[in-house]
Amino acid sequence: MLVMRRFLVAGILAISLLLVAGMAVPAGAAQFGDDLAAKVQELMQSNKVSPQTRACLSCHVQYTPGIVYDWANSEHAEMTPAALADLYKAIGASEWADKVAEKFKNYQYVVGCYECHGMFKEADRPDIIDNHFGYKIVTVVTRKDCSQCHPKESTEISWTWHATGALMSPFKPWYLGILKWAKSQGADPFGDAQAKALYEKYFPPYLTKQRDVDDINWDFYKEIAKAVMQYLETGQENDIVKMLKQATGMVTPYDKDWKTFISPLWPASGVLNTTLVGKMGIKIAVTAMDGTSKAVSNIMEHPSFRNGYVYHACFECHGSVVIPYKKETVQINGMQVNRVALWGWPNNGAARVDPDGSMGTCTACHPRHLFSVKQAREPWTCGQCHLGYDHPHIEIYEESKHGNIATAYGEEWNWEQIPWRVGVDFNAPTCATCHMSAIADANGNILVQGTHDLVKRLVWDQMHFFSIPKGIIPDKMQQALFYGWSQLKGKLEQIEAKKNDKAPEHYKYPVFTGVKIVEDGGKVGETKFPRLLKVEYTGELAKHRAEMEAVCKLCHSTQWTENFFRTADQNIIDYDIVARYANALLQLAWKEGIHDNSNILDEYMEIMWYYIWHHEGRRWRNGAFMMGPDFAHWFGIVDTVMDKLGRMTSYLYTALKIKQLESQIQALKASAGAQYTPELAAQIAQLQRELESLKAQLAALEAQVPVLKSQLQSLEAGVADVGALKGDVGALKEDVNSLVQKLQELSKQLETLSPQAKEIQKLVSQIQQVTSQLQTLGQKAEAASAKAEEASAKAEEAGTKAGKAISMVEEISKKIDELSSKIDSVSTTAYTLGGIALAAAIIALGLSIVYRRS
């Protein structure tokens, strides 16, 4: 009898657990609501949280609750550093567990506020807050700090562009100045012991360390940060500050508001700093919002223009240089708070340079303070930087079949599982899958080793001028300094000539060795597959391609994989040919004096070349390798060749033809002898040049007509910007009227020179023809403007209808919400009653058995 009763109680408890199981939070999933609030209160009183962290939580839960609740949802709030040994074992990298910092190997508490902000790695960094309510802390948690528990990830990421992207782009001039100074002091990775020691003191030591073994940092920047902080607080210039002024022309890289920093990554490199207007002796008076007024030839000359957008447009992806510049006490929430004032902060750019010399930040991909594995694996975590005109990786991914599958099924994936099991936890690759993830079978056996070294599965640099293999080191300035050669501008056959016998065997070349292009596709017209060139890989590049193929073969056949990479590689070859042809056209324009290369990005062909390599050419190559046909074709090769290369070719032809005609005219005038006076000949030649210039302007305006027509057609479909189009048409009309007036004046001047000259008569006739054509063009422009106004009216009408539709949708949405709420209420009641009824039935059944037995 007693046993039966116990059985009944156990059965009822089991049924109750089954009833509430559907409401349980999946393992690893973030919690929100009252349960999370209760969890925070529990953690604040738990002995698994260190006393220091509990003190932090008691205050910050009031003033920065978002941070506290995010941390409570993180794995850090659940795990001690010792658990990392099991994690490294799970991903097949158990050897890294021994590299966890000694102070954390047997640490008994979970990872909380104090463990990251108070147990920082290096005690001599300049940004330490000495007394934050009794604790010594830092505001900026760096990659060095993270490396204490995550040595593998830190080491691997330190060898990537993600770690060097700030120094390689926005801060390039400042960084290069320091490197050149260090070399002038005798620093040389291939020199004697003293030269090598100097190199390792002043440089990030890529050329003397081993990839994926040594953690790379720029420790000299820590000394710079200390010197700058002392200088800004006391005004004292030590040797480092004096060096900075000598080598870079400034103390910090922020001193000149980017006005001398010329880079193709922002407009200061070209049109903002143009020389063209100044050559004409023109100055434009501009009054800024602060009242400062100045007549300038280019925008960079205006004292109130500071290029402030780089803080957001550049740093948020590439990273900043964080400078601690003073210690201060401020009033916050009624309390006196000690802090270190920082510049270049806040910033989570991938290549942020921190006060302790760290390059690269983990929070670029694992946002604090949740540090979610799921978030890092989500495609849009990469897409927050890898998108848009110049590298639309996320858009290409979303167009691809991979992205389509992820969109369809991604909500059901097991995002947090470590290691990630192919086909079990997910059924299509994300960015992380192909480039980083440790991938396992259903039993957790590792099939592909994971890595944070994003070069490990790549062979081609698809981001720069020409097609080149991925470099051994990400610091291209060091390559240029010590090899005397830039890999970005070279050719494959030049690599062997730049061998450096002093370098270690695996660093003898500026790029990875192992690329050979061979012809085995048969002759033209011959039936043979594949009709493509073949890239043969050896050495490191062969390993990289094999690792990426291993990822593909987890879902695709060997033949599918081999054929895909064969065709993708041909796109690399094809682009390279187009790019070198386009660059040769630009070089010819400079040689012929058509363009001036003193500013390499402010004239027509220069800008077109920039778009070819920095925009369309990237889309072409990335579209091919990431299975985005629209980006490979329309946004890629079509825009590269039909648009930008076509414009370069046409412009160069027109410019050279004008030069040729001018030479012919001059020769004709010279041969005319006494028929013309020198003054008359000079005037005719000058007027002829002006005429040709006007013809060129006319051709440019005519080229705009198809674009305007296309915009009008799009507008009529309801997708164009009416205001902008009307502005374009208005500008076109003004240009046409201006040209007509100039031609009429020119015609009058010619008539007054020499009515008897037959050549001048012909010129007058030609001018009249051009005038007629311009008048016709003006009429077309007026017609286009009328269509634009008509389309604008249609757009307004459509907007009114859309507003009504939106109101209807909102009303229906409210009704759906009300109905959904009622359904949820009924469902919950039914679910509860069902459980009670089932439990009651079991009890009744049990009691009937008991009564029968009794």
Side-chain angles (χ1 to χ4, degrees):
M1 182 73 177
L2 181 61
V3 173
M4 180 57 67
R5 288 174 181 171
R6 288 176 177 172
F7 171 77
L8 286 173
V9 173
I12 292 170
L13 290 173
I15 292 295
S16 300
L17 290 173
L18 288 173
L19 288 172
V20 300
M23 296 180 284
V25 178
Q31 292 178 264
F32 295 97
D34 292 339
D35 289 340
L36 178 59
K39 182 179 180 181
V40 168
Q41 293 302 316
E42 180 184 343
L43 286 168
M44 289 170 61
Q45 301 171 23
S46 171
N47 288 330
K48 70 179 183 179
V49 179
S50 69
Q52 297 92 332
T53 291
R54 291 202 302 269
C56 298
L57 294 172
S58 66
C59 183
H60 281 273
V61 74
Q62 302 175 57
Y63 298 112
T64 57
I67 291 176
V68 172
Y69 290 117
D70 251 6
W71 168 77
N73 258 326
S74 73
E75 292 292 330
H76 281 169
E78 302 290 339
M79 297 176 64
T80 67
L84 280 165
D86 294 332
L87 196 61
Y88 278 136
K89 182 179 179 180
I91 63 174
S94 56
E95 69 276 10
W96 286 92
D98 292 336
K99 295 188 177 183
V100 172
E102 288 297 328
K103 61 185 173 185
F104 284 119
K105 282 185 177 178
N106 297 309
Y107 194 72
Q108 61 179 320
Y109 300 113
V110 299
V111 180
C113 317
Y114 183 75
E115 285 68 28
C116 294
H117 290 271
M119 298 178 72
F120 44 88
K121 185 173 183 178
E122 297 182 347
D124 63 337
R125 54 190 287 182
D127 60 328
I128 295 172
I129 302 170
D130 296 315
N131 183 9
H132 182 74
F133 300 100
Y135 295 105
K136 184 177 288 188
I137 68 163
V138 293
T139 299
V140 183
V141 178
T142 72
R143 182 174 56 78
K144 276 188 181 180
D145 299 329
C146 297
S147 74
Q148 296 180 104
C149 293
H150 300 280
K152 178 180 186 291
E153 294 75 12
S154 176
T155 294
E156 290 171 342
I157 204 72
S158 74
W159 285 82
T160 68
W161 287 357
H162 279 169
T164 61
L167 298 179
M168 294 298 104
S169 45
F171 296 92
K172 176 180 176 179
W174 176 78
Y175 177 61
L176 183 58
I178 296 170
L179 297 190
K180 287 181 177 180
W181 173 86
K183 184 181 180 183
S184 73
Q185 301 303 301
D188 186 351
F190 311 132
D192 57 22
Q194 182 178 0
K196 181 178 177 181
L198 285 173
Y199 168 78
E200 294 186 343
K201 175 181 178 180
Y202 293 121
F203 284 72
Y206 288 107
L207 290 171
T208 57
K209 300 299 181 181
Q210 190 172 348
R211 192 183 194 103
D212 296 337
V213 174
D214 297 306
D215 198 356
I216 301 296
N217 295 285
W218 189 24
D219 288 326
F220 183 56
Y221 176 67
K222 181 168 61 176
E223 304 307 315
I224 292 175
K226 291 178 186 177
V228 169
M229 188 169 184
Q230 180 186 15
Y231 169 68
L232 292 175
E233 286 191 319
T234 68
Q236 296 178 1
E237 294 187 10
N238 64 11
D239 290 341
I240 292 180
V241 171
K242 292 176 182 177
M243 176 277 291
L244 289 170
K245 288 186 174 181
Q246 175 188 343
T248 70
M250 60 192 89
V251 176
T252 81
Y254 302 95
D255 291 0
K256 294 190 177 179
D257 302 312
W258 314 106
K259 292 201 174 188
T260 59
F261 281 34
I262 306 303
S263 164
L265 295 176
W266 61 68
S269 58
V271 178
L272 280 177
N273 200 36
T274 184
T275 61
L276 299 180
V277 178
K279 289 177 180 179
M280 300 295 293
I282 298 173
K283 286 189 177 293
I284 307 295
V286 179
T287 301
M289 296 175 71
D290 66 346
T292 303
S293 182
K294 185 175 180 180
V296 298
S297 294
N298 66 60
I299 292 169
M300 300 295 281
E301 294 175 356
H302 199 288
S304 295
F305 185 84
R306 307 295 172 85
N307 251 3
Y309 87 98
V310 302
Y311 288 92
H312 303 278
C314 304
F315 294 170
E316 288 190 15
C317 287
H318 284 265
S320 64
V321 172
V322 180
I323 297 177
Y325 62 94
K326 68 177 176 179
K327 294 188 177 182
E328 60 185 1
T329 301
V330 294
Q331 189 86 2
I332 300 178
N333 295 320
M335 297 179 288
Q336 295 290 105
V337 178
N338 297 326
R339 71 181 183 187
V340 174
L342 304 167
W343 193 248
W345 178 267
N347 179 267
N348 288 319
R352 191 182 73 211
V353 182
D354 286 327
D356 64 352
S358 301
M359 297 187 302
T361 176
C362 305
T363 57
C365 302
H366 299 272
R368 62 182 189 272
H369 288 82
L370 189 59
F371 301 107
S372 165
V373 172
K374 174 183 178 180
Q375 190 164 358
R377 285 172 170 171
E378 286 271 10
W380 263 103
T381 294
C382 301
Q384 64 187 348
C385 291
H386 290 264
L387 79 169
Y389 291 105
D390 55 338
H391 41 38
H393 297 120
I394 187 63
E395 293 97 325
I396 296 171
Y397 174 78
E398 290 180 332
E399 182 192 356
S400 74
K401 189 58 65 181
H402 291 157
N404 178 254
I405 296 171
T407 299
Y409 302 106
E411 291 184 1
E412 286 78 44
W413 287 0
N414 188 3
W415 289 96
E416 300 280 352
Q417 177 66 31
I418 297 176
W420 225 7
R421 299 168 298 173
V422 62
V424 178
D425 299 317
F426 66 99
N427 66 327
T430 67
C431 317
T433 313
C434 292
H435 296 282
M436 302 178 72
S437 297
I439 307 175
D441 62 16
N443 298 317
N445 299 313
I446 299 298
L447 303 175
V448 177
Q449 289 286 340
T451 182
H452 277 61
D453 183 347
L454 283 88
V455 176
K456 295 289 281 187
R457 301 176 189 175
L458 299 175
V459 297
W460 293 111
D461 175 354
Q462 300 184 29
M463 304 296 285
H464 290 101
F465 308 139
F466 309 117
S467 295
I468 54 176
K470 279 288 187 182
I472 285 179
I473 67 172
D475 195 328
K476 295 173 179 58
M477 291 178 210
Q478 291 196 38
Q479 291 177 354
L481 277 177
F482 295 111
Y483 289 107
W485 182 81
S486 170
Q487 76 175 65
L488 301 182
K489 300 179 182 179
K491 299 179 181 179
L492 294 179
E493 61 268 21
Q494 295 174 321
I495 296 175
E496 179 64 27
K498 292 297 177 181
K499 179 175 178 179
N500 188 327
D501 292 327
K502 296 180 182 179
E505 182 61 35
H506 54 294
Y507 291 156
K508 286 188 176 178
Y509 305 92
V511 296
F512 280 127
T513 57
V515 178
K516 183 180 180 181
I517 313 296
V518 298
E519 169 64 82
D520 73 341
K523 298 178 181 179
V524 176
E526 179 182 353
T527 301
K528 180 180 179 181
F529 294 120
R531 286 217 25 83
L532 303 169
L533 296 174
K534 182 179 181 180
V535 183
E536 293 181 348
Y537 301 102
T538 59
E540 290 293 333
L541 289 180
K543 295 177 185 177
H544 290 190
R545 174 52 59 85
E547 185 161 351
M548 182 63 87
E549 288 181 344
V551 176
C552 300
K553 290 175 183 177
L554 296 175
C555 297
H556 298 283
S557 70
T558 298
Q559 182 178 165
W560 188 100
T561 302
E562 290 173 350
N563 286 353
F564 171 78
F565 282 110
R566 185 67 179 270
T567 56
D569 280 345
Q570 183 66 50
N571 280 268
I572 294 292
I573 299 169
D574 291 349
Y575 164 80
D576 190 64
I577 294 171
V578 171
R580 293 187 186 278
Y581 179 85
N583 186 260
L585 293 181
L586 179 58
Q587 298 289 338
L588 180 58
W590 285 333
K591 180 181 178 181
E592 292 290 330
I594 293 170
H595 284 337
D596 178 5
N597 63 357
S598 61
N599 180 336
I600 63 172
L601 199 52
D602 68 336
E603 296 181 86
Y604 190 83
M605 291 180 66
E606 296 167 345
I607 295 172
M608 293 302 105
W609 161 243
Y610 173 81
Y611 280 125
I612 284 176
W613 75 265
H614 193 266
H615 282 48
E616 283 83 350
R618 291 180 178 182
R619 299 176 203 164
W620 173 3
R621 291 171 285 176
N622 287 302
F625 269 88
M626 291 179 60
M627 305 179 196
D630 210 47
F631 285 90
H633 183 65
W634 293 113
F635 296 113
I637 187 171
V638 168
D639 279 354
T640 301
V641 177
M642 291 183 66
D643 186 18
K644 303 307 184 295
L645 181 60
R647 289 171 182 258
M648 288 183 73
T649 306
S650 178
Y651 188 97
L652 182 64
Y653 170 82
T654 303
L656 290 174
K657 189 67 176 177
I658 288 173
K659 287 187 67 175
Q660 181 184 38
L661 289 173
E662 287 176 348
S663 297
Q664 292 175 350
I665 291 172
Q666 291 295 335
L668 180 63
K669 304 296 185 184
S671 64
Q675 293 183 4
Y676 300 97
T677 66
E679 293 79 9
L680 178 60
Q683 287 178 310
I684 292 174
Q686 175 64 31
L687 290 171
Q688 181 65 22
R689 284 194 296 273
E690 291 181 12
L691 178 61
E692 295 297 337
S693 175
L694 291 171
K695 286 182 179 179
Q697 294 180 43
L698 174 61
L701 287 171
E702 289 176 338
Q704 294 179 25
V705 173
V707 176
L708 291 171
K709 182 179 179 181
S710 174
Q711 289 178 339
L712 279 170
Q713 291 171 343
S714 299
L715 180 60
E716 289 169 354
V719 299
D721 183 348
V722 176
L725 180 59
K726 291 175 68 175
D728 288 343
V729 173
L732 177 61
K733 291 171 64 178
E734 291 178 4
D735 289 340
V736 169
N737 293 334
S738 176
L739 281 175
V740 169
Q741 184 177 355
K742 288 181 180 179
L743 283 170
Q744 289 173 347
E745 294 174 355
L746 180 61
S747 178
K748 293 178 181 179
Q749 292 179 37
L750 284 170
E751 290 174 357
T752 60
L753 286 173
S754 180
Q756 294 81 19
K758 294 182 179 180
E759 289 81 358
I760 297 177
Q761 297 273 349
K762 293 178 181 179
L763 287 176
V764 172
S765 176
Q766 291 175 1
I767 291 170
Q768 291 172 345
Q769 292 176 7
V770 172
T771 301
S772 176
Q773 292 173 2
L774 282 169
Q775 291 172 343
T776 302
L777 183 59
Q779 293 170 358
K780 291 181 179 179
E782 291 177 356
S785 178
K787 289 185 178 180
E789 292 174 356
E790 180 182 351
S792 176
K794 291 181 179 180
E796 291 177 359
E797 182 181 352
T800 302
K801 292 180 179 179
K804 293 180 180 179
I806 290 171
S807 298
M808 293 176 65
V809 169
E810 290 176 348
E811 184 64 29
I812 293 171
S813 178
K814 290 181 182 177
K815 293 181 179 179
I816 289 174
D817 288 342
E818 293 173 2
L819 181 59
S820 176
S821 178
K822 292 178 181 179
I823 290 172
D824 288 344
S825 177
V826 173
S827 176
T828 302
T829 303
Y831 192 72
T832 304
L833 292 175
I836 294 171
L838 179 57
I842 291 175
I843 294 171
L845 176 61
L847 290 174
S848 67
I849 295 173
V850 172
Y851 286 129
R852 288 177 187 173
R853 294 257 176 114
S854 63

